Amino acid sequence: MNAATTDMPTLRPTPGQLALAEAIRSGVGKVASGIQTVPARHYTCPDHFARENATLFGRLPQVLAPSALLPKAGMAVPHDATGRPLLITRDAEGRAHVFLNVCRHRGTRLVEGSEVQCAKRLVCPYHAWTYRLDGGLMALPRPETFPGLDKGDYGLVELPSLEAGGLIWFAPEQGADFSHARALGEDLATFGLPQSHLFRRKTHTVKGNWKLIMDAFLESYHVTRLHAATIGPFFKDGITAGDQIGPHQRSAVGRLEEMEGVDLTDMAALRRVVTFAYQLLPATIIVPSPDYVNVMVLMPQAHDLTLVEDFMLIPEAPATEKALAHWEKSWALLDGGVFASEDFRAAELGQQGLSSGAVEHITLGTLEGGIARFDQIVDAALRAAG
């Protein structure tokens, strides 16, 4: 690591990660067999978006935040950007929960604001009904005025959730299948996500369809062009390999000339020569750099408007001014420069162009197959829902 060092145990790639790295080193890239297309209406049609919103974001397990947002027991944070009044907590035992942020008495919003709070209990601002961070109702004023009320029946409404690999997932409906999230957790643990420190978080408002943002992280064709003034000079067009974990895509880009003699079973060494990226259904992007990780959670608001919450995770809290300056520089380069000024700007420009009706479909070359595959994954989810 650069400015921040730590005596961490050697992390090893999962068999799936190692297989992608070995494919790159053997020169076996994965590219599409020919030109593919995606209908422009998938990005511009409000009715199509409404189906996606109901089917994907209204039903499927999805990432809310990294575990590092609530690193200790006795913490809670409201979360409204999914369109639901959610409340993420970490109880006294250290377990993460996702509740509806609604008091069971009169339906009042329980916790205000949007920042992380440290608290052993949650107190409704209206009538002071008080809850534990595991959702249980602890106490209420004048209990004698509620004869026969069983506090066990009035806990906060909890939604299905899972914490795995340093991410907190939730599902809007009961009976959600988190098996693929668990499998992803094994991969993400190799980047040290469960032990990471949250350095910065920021929410961006992007005037573009959510899939246009996903698309930017589903191909490397644009990197040396769009990012010519920022990170482009650090990259060359390399060999791309990719596969899926359930409906989630996992990709890797590496350069043969840099991989000779590298121990691919050492994750730290592997991360210096291979760039991994994860594109999770419905809308989360994970980009591990050599010494930190960006987690971007996309929360569509309309067919042409998306909130993107970007979290920068580093191995440990900065212990020196030099370390702090190092991480601040990385944050400014990626969040403020590469992502906001380039990737998100490209999504907005794409939305403007596609909305004009000038093209009926986007055209994808052999290096952009991940975009076509993602469109197919989304379409399959829509068809499965009926």
Side-chain angles (χ1 to χ4, degrees):
M1 299 172 190
N2 294 335
T5 60
T6 185
D7 296 327
M8 295 287 289
T10 300
L11 296 174
R12 304 293 182 186
T14 63
Q17 292 169 327
L18 186 59
L20 295 186
E22 289 176 338
I24 292 170
R25 187 154 69 176
S26 65
V28 182
K30 182 178 182 181
V31 297
S33 59
I35 292 175
Q36 301 179 81
T37 62
V38 172
R41 65 179 300 274
H42 287 187
Y43 301 91
T44 61
C45 176
D47 290 341
H48 186 80
F49 169 75
R51 284 189 66 207
E52 292 176 338
N53 195 38
T55 301
L56 305 180
F57 299 93
R59 298 180 182 178
L60 296 184
Q62 53 208 269
V63 174
L64 266 183
S67 301
L69 182 61
L70 292 87
K72 298 179 181 178
M75 304 183 83
V77 59
H79 192 296
D80 295 327
T82 69
R84 305 166 189 84
L86 301 180
L87 180 65
I88 314 170
T89 72
R90 191 173 297 283
D91 66 23
E93 304 301 320
R95 182 184 172 198
H97 301 265
V98 178
F99 301 106
L100 292 178
N101 188 12
V102 177
C103 178
R104 291 294 303 281
H105 173 213
R106 296 263 292 274
T108 304
R109 180 183 175 92
L110 186 61
V111 182
E112 299 177 85
S114 60
E115 296 302 314
V116 177
Q117 303 184 18
C118 295
K120 294 182 178 180
R121 59 186 62 85
L122 307 168
V123 182
C124 178
Y126 197 175
H127 297 95
W129 281 38
T130 302
Y131 301 85
R132 297 187 301 272
L133 270 70
D134 64 5
L137 178 61
M138 292 177 62
L140 62 153
R142 300 290 305 275
E144 75 279 3
T145 66
F146 293 85
L149 182 141
D150 184 344
K151 287 188 291 187
D153 294 333
Y154 282 82
L156 298 179
V157 176
E158 185 164 9
L159 298 176
S161 65
L162 172 75
E163 185 170 22
L167 295 179
I168 298 172
W169 298 68
F170 94 106
E173 294 186 346
Q174 298 297 323
D177 180 4
F178 288 97
S179 58
H180 298 309
R182 291 189 179 90
L184 276 165
E186 297 176 11
D187 256 42
L188 300 178
T190 69
F191 299 111
L193 253 68
Q195 299 81 33
S196 291
H197 171 77
L198 176 59
F199 181 67
R200 292 286 183 269
R201 77 189 257 237
K202 180 178 179 180
T203 299
H204 298 264
T205 299
V206 183
K207 295 178 181 179
N209 184 270
W210 65 280
K211 295 190 301 298
L212 286 174
I213 302 168
M214 294 292 292
D215 287 356
F217 298 90
L218 285 160
E219 50 89 0
S220 58
Y221 178 49
H222 74 281
V223 173
T224 60
R225 292 94 186 169
L226 177 65
H227 304 310
T230 52
I231 62 172
F234 301 104
F235 288 85
K236 301 174 184 176
D237 288 325
I239 297 174
T240 300
D243 61 4
Q244 287 182 219
I245 300 176
H248 311 298
Q249 295 195 69
R250 171 175 56 186
S251 61
V253 179
R255 293 149 293 278
L256 283 174
E257 64 271 21
E258 298 177 3
M259 297 180 71
E260 184 177 353
V262 174
D263 179 5
L264 299 184
T265 67
D266 182 336
M267 196 59 180
L270 178 57
R271 288 173 68 178
R272 287 193 287 270
V273 296
V274 172
T275 301
F276 286 92
Y278 293 77
Q279 303 86 18
L280 313 184
L281 190 74
T284 297
I285 299 157
I286 300 173
V287 183
S289 297
D291 54 356
Y292 61 95
V293 178
N294 278 91
V295 175
M296 283 172 277
V297 180
L298 280 58
M299 295 160 288
Q301 308 296 299
H303 75 281
D304 57 357
L305 182 65
T306 307
L307 299 181
V308 183
E309 189 163 23
D310 180 23
F311 302 87
M312 179 178 173
L313 306 175
I314 63 176
E316 60 186 2
T320 65
E321 290 297 323
K322 181 179 179 181
L324 178 62
H326 166 75
W327 297 123
E328 290 286 14
K329 183 178 179 181
S330 297
W331 172 251
L333 173 65
L334 280 185
D335 183 85
V338 175
F339 297 151
S341 300
E342 296 172 355
D343 289 311
F344 300 162
R345 173 175 170 269
E348 293 187 335
L349 293 175
Q351 190 70 40
Q352 293 170 21
L354 292 175
S355 297
S356 73
V359 298
E360 293 185 356
H361 56 258
I362 64 171
T363 302
L364 305 170
T366 60
L367 296 177
E368 301 166 290
I371 295 173
R373 181 59 188 144
F374 187 69
D375 182 71
Q376 293 161 8
I377 291 170
V378 170
D379 184 64
L382 295 179
R383 285 188 283 105

